[in-house]
Amino acid sequence: LVSNDYHLIRASFLLGSVLKKSGVVIYPYGVASDQVKTDDLKVRLRWYFNENIKFWGSAVEMGIYRMMGVLINDYAWVRQSKDAVKKRVLFDGA
């Protein structure tokens, strides 16, 4: 699994959840991202915060799918609600 280094934990979690019973072994490889290559602590903390919020959102979506067999993103009202929450919670430009 190749992904941006800041996104690797979430990507590994999601792929691992999908392939859980397949026997496939995931080897994560993080690619350095210009987005977090900075000494600016505020920028790094914003990216860290945003990625953690996205991780937990993905975990909830995966849990709902596992329990109910429903992809909640298939519903327009869910996508609209998620977009509205993201605009209020996530840091801009990060």
Side-chain angles (χ1 to χ4, degrees):
L1 171 65
V2 178
S3 180
N4 285 330
D5 50 4
Y6 75 90
H7 177 71
L8 194 59
I9 293 171
R10 182 164 50 117
S12 296
F13 166 76
L14 292 172
L15 186 59
S17 295
V18 171
L19 299 175
K20 189 174 185 176
K21 296 179 183 179
S22 70
V24 173
V25 178
I26 300 169
Y27 296 99
Y29 180 80
V31 177
S33 172
D34 290 340
Q35 296 165 327
V36 292
K37 279 186 179 177
T38 179
D39 292 331
D40 187 342
L41 184 58
K42 281 186 179 180
V43 172
R44 293 181 66 83
L45 287 174
R46 286 178 179 172
W47 279 101
Y48 178 78
F49 176 82
N50 284 354
E51 192 58 28
N52 274 289
I53 294 295
K54 292 174 185 177
F55 173 87
W56 287 108
S58 296
V60 168
E61 289 177 28
M62 185 63 67
I64 290 170
Y65 176 74
R66 292 263 182 222
M67 289 186 300
M68 302 177 69
V70 174
L71 294 173
I72 61 173
N73 279 332
D74 287 347
Y75 299 98
W77 68 270
V78 171
R79 289 191 307 275
Q80 292 167 352
S81 299
K82 283 175 48 177
D83 289 344
V85 169
K86 285 180 183 180
K87 285 180 184 176
R88 288 179 177 81
V89 173
L90 297 180
F91 287 99
D92 289 335

